[in-house]
Amino acid sequence: MFFHQLLDPDLGCASYVLGCHGRAVVVDPGIDTDRYLKCLQQVGATLDTIVETHTHADHVSGRGELAAATGARVRLPWVNGPEGLAAGDTISVGQVRIEVIAAPGHRPEHIALGVIDTDRSEDPWLILSGDSLLVGDLARPDLAVDPQDGAKALRETISRLCELGDCVELWPGHVGGSLCGGAGLSPKTSSTIGYERSANPLTRSRDGEEFARLLLDGLPPRPPTVERVVARNAATSAPAAVARVLGIEDLQAALESPETVFLDGRPADRFEAAHLIGSVNLPLSGTGLGTRVAWLLDPETPIVVCADREEECAELARRLRAVAIDGVLGIAPGGVARLRECGGEIGSEAGIAVADLARRLTDFTVVDVRGQREWDAGHLVGSVHLPPERLREGADLLPGTPLAVACATGNRAAFAASWLRRQGHSAVRLTGGGISDLAAHEIDPIGR
């Protein structure tokens, strides 16, 4: 038996390649299908079947592109007939048998997959839990149904999964960084049923009302891309077009259009040193980039992705495509030099260092763009809290004074400050640290 977990750190998603004797199954593929093809080549296997555990709400599936590349059969729990999957169905590849387990809660059609290596035992070795039981947490139940109804269904699912043996390995569909879990979601990529039964507070709750309260308290905001992503994944999934390199004429036309947004994937310090005026900085080193963009831009906003190298542009465009942001006109590698050659106006915008802000605090309105849980844990008294989900509407309410935009480490602040400048504000990024670093300069950032 071979078994490989493939992670998408941008979205906190996990997918799987498993099989036996040269035959493979891929579970919950993302849109970067090349990595599955490379994995199959490395293990010397042919892809038999592609399985989805549910209609994903946070990322676009790559099953159409992967099926087109391999000829593999696609099995889906939300369709009927021979291509559907229901509780009790099995999929076999060599000596590996995959058993389908009903696991509603996150979504009504959700399934989990018990994986058995019959060479060793007739009992499950591991379970692919999708968006049900996660490491340290459970999946959120509010994206497809009434939250209370979802919580009730998920409680029954978790009770059923926890009846599996202590030694059964747990391999989830999401890890830390995903918007499909709650505050307890761990960055650890696997666990066991026994450990989660004993250490996960949500599996220990026996009272239905207490379970729902623990599950629903502190959930992150509903992602702005849910409806588009679900609709895309529920439909027949065809291979998606890859963003093309824009020629000179297309790039000049985009530069002349006030509606077009240039997203620059370079590090924040390089962006601030020289960038296209009006462009928005979205450093590739961050995570959740597509979701971040979706909070601020309409789905069909025309976008040009730029960075120094073509592969960097392609990666940023892929992250946008992964959350159904469809307005990407193309990519523009070559950095500011190419934009300047095509007539773009280049400028610079220095940030403000932590020590400088501490000395000049009365000269700025501090805008804190961290999430709600980070803010609740401690914030600068007198600052304005505009997390990503409120930044678009809150921008119009900000004062006309200079803004110092801060987060924890700088990537989110770089994005927000550049976007606020595009809206006409005088905004700079806090550099050399984040909100908590102000405490080293005799400023107490704690307010609750």
Side-chain angles (χ1 to χ4, degrees):
M1 174 181 172
F2 54 85
F3 178 85
H4 297 273
Q5 182 190 60
L6 283 73
L7 294 174
D8 180 349
D10 184 51
L11 292 168
C13 298
S15 53
Y16 298 90
V17 179
L18 66 153
C20 182
H21 298 331
R23 298 169 58 204
V25 175
V26 169
V27 178
D28 291 335
I31 63 168
D32 184 7
T33 55
D34 284 347
R35 58 187 183 147
Y36 304 103
L37 299 176
K38 290 176 182 176
C39 184
L40 292 166
Q41 184 179 29
Q42 289 170 354
V43 298
T46 300
L47 183 57
D48 275 14
T49 307
I50 301 166
V51 175
E52 300 273 25
T53 56
H54 63 292
T55 316
H56 298 284
D58 67 324
H59 70 277
V60 174
S61 169
R63 69 176 186 271
E65 190 169 345
L66 191 57
T70 62
R73 182 184 185 187
V74 177
R75 305 290 303 276
L76 307 171
W78 62 86
V79 302
N80 297 317
E83 302 309 309
L85 279 175
D89 288 348
T90 62
I91 298 171
S92 294
V93 283
Q95 300 303 310
V96 173
R97 186 169 73 245
I98 301 171
E99 297 183 345
V100 177
I101 304 166
H106 181 67
R107 291 192 64 85
E109 78 280 4
H110 195 289
I111 59 172
L113 303 170
V115 180
I116 299 166
D117 181 356
T118 59
D119 269 343
R120 303 187 65 187
S121 172
E122 287 295 320
D123 295 323
W125 184 352
L126 58 96
I127 185 167
L128 304 181
S129 62
D131 284 10
S132 58
L133 179 58
L134 307 175
V135 180
D137 206 342
L138 304 182
R140 61 191 297 171
D142 63 326
L143 298 184
V145 295
D146 176 81
Q148 293 292 333
D149 292 341
K152 180 180 179 181
L154 190 58
R155 182 167 180 257
E156 294 173 357
T157 289
I158 300 310
S159 296
R160 187 163 53 251
L161 296 182
C162 282
E163 292 174 358
L164 296 169
D166 283 356
C167 294
V168 174
E169 297 176 7
L170 171 70
W171 294 87
H174 288 292
V175 298
S178 168
L179 290 173
C180 286
L185 185 55
S186 172
K188 194 172 185 299
T189 57
S190 67
S191 184
T192 65
I193 293 295
Y195 189 78
E196 294 306 311
R197 188 192 300 115
S198 65
N200 188 326
L202 287 161
T203 65
R204 299 198 305 270
S205 175
R206 295 292 178 258
D207 177 77
E209 290 186 5
E210 179 196 30
F211 176 86
R213 178 182 59 78
L214 289 173
L215 183 61
L216 297 174
D217 268 3
L219 283 178
R222 179 184 176 88
T225 55
V226 166
E227 282 73 21
R228 297 200 308 276
V229 171
V230 167
R232 185 74 50 82
N233 287 333
T236 301
S237 184
V242 177
R244 64 188 180 92
V245 177
L246 294 176
I248 292 177
E249 291 184 0
D250 288 336
L251 193 50
Q252 288 174 335
L255 287 166
E256 292 171 1
S257 169
E259 290 79 22
T260 300
V261 176
F262 281 73
L263 292 179
D264 191 323
R266 294 177 301 149
D269 55 349
R270 287 178 53 78
F271 176 86
E272 289 163 351
H275 57 266
L276 177 71
I277 293 177
S279 60
V280 177
N281 189 203
L282 191 63
L284 266 170
S285 57
T287 59
L289 302 189
T291 306
R292 198 175 301 168
V293 170
W295 286 118
L296 299 185
L297 302 183
D298 294 328
E300 303 304 327
T301 298
I303 293 170
V304 173
V305 173
C306 52
D308 289 326
R309 295 181 292 141
E310 184 173 337
E311 55 267 34
E312 294 170 331
C313 292
E315 170 62 15
L316 184 50
R318 181 197 68 79
R319 296 197 197 186
L320 300 178
R321 185 163 59 97
V323 293
I325 293 177
D326 298 324
V328 177
L329 303 175
I331 62 177
V336 292
R338 184 149 189 258
L339 296 174
R340 184 185 286 114
E341 290 171 1
C342 293
E345 185 179 357
I346 306 302
S348 62
E349 187 68 55
I352 182 166
V354 170
D356 292 335
L357 180 62
R359 287 193 298 268
R360 300 175 53 199
L361 201 57
T362 57
D363 296 338
F364 292 88
T365 297
V366 176
V367 179
D368 188 333
V369 295
R370 297 175 302 159
Q372 188 65 50
R373 288 198 295 268
E374 295 170 287
W375 168 271
D376 291 342
H379 56 268
L380 181 68
V381 175
S383 60
V384 177
H385 186 214
L386 286 182
E389 67 273 16
R390 297 207 304 269
L391 185 58
R392 186 174 184 174
E393 62 185 41
D396 293 336
L397 304 177
L398 289 170
T401 55
L403 308 176
V405 185
C407 60
T409 59
N411 278 338
R412 288 174 291 178
F415 175 68
S418 58
W419 183 81
L420 287 169
R421 287 196 296 272
R422 181 179 171 85
Q423 308 312 304
H425 288 281
S426 173
V428 295
R429 174 181 70 103
L430 182 64
T431 64
I435 289 292
S436 62
D437 296 289
L438 289 167
H441 298 273
E442 300 181 356
I443 296 175
D444 185 359
I446 302 302
R448 294 181 175 88

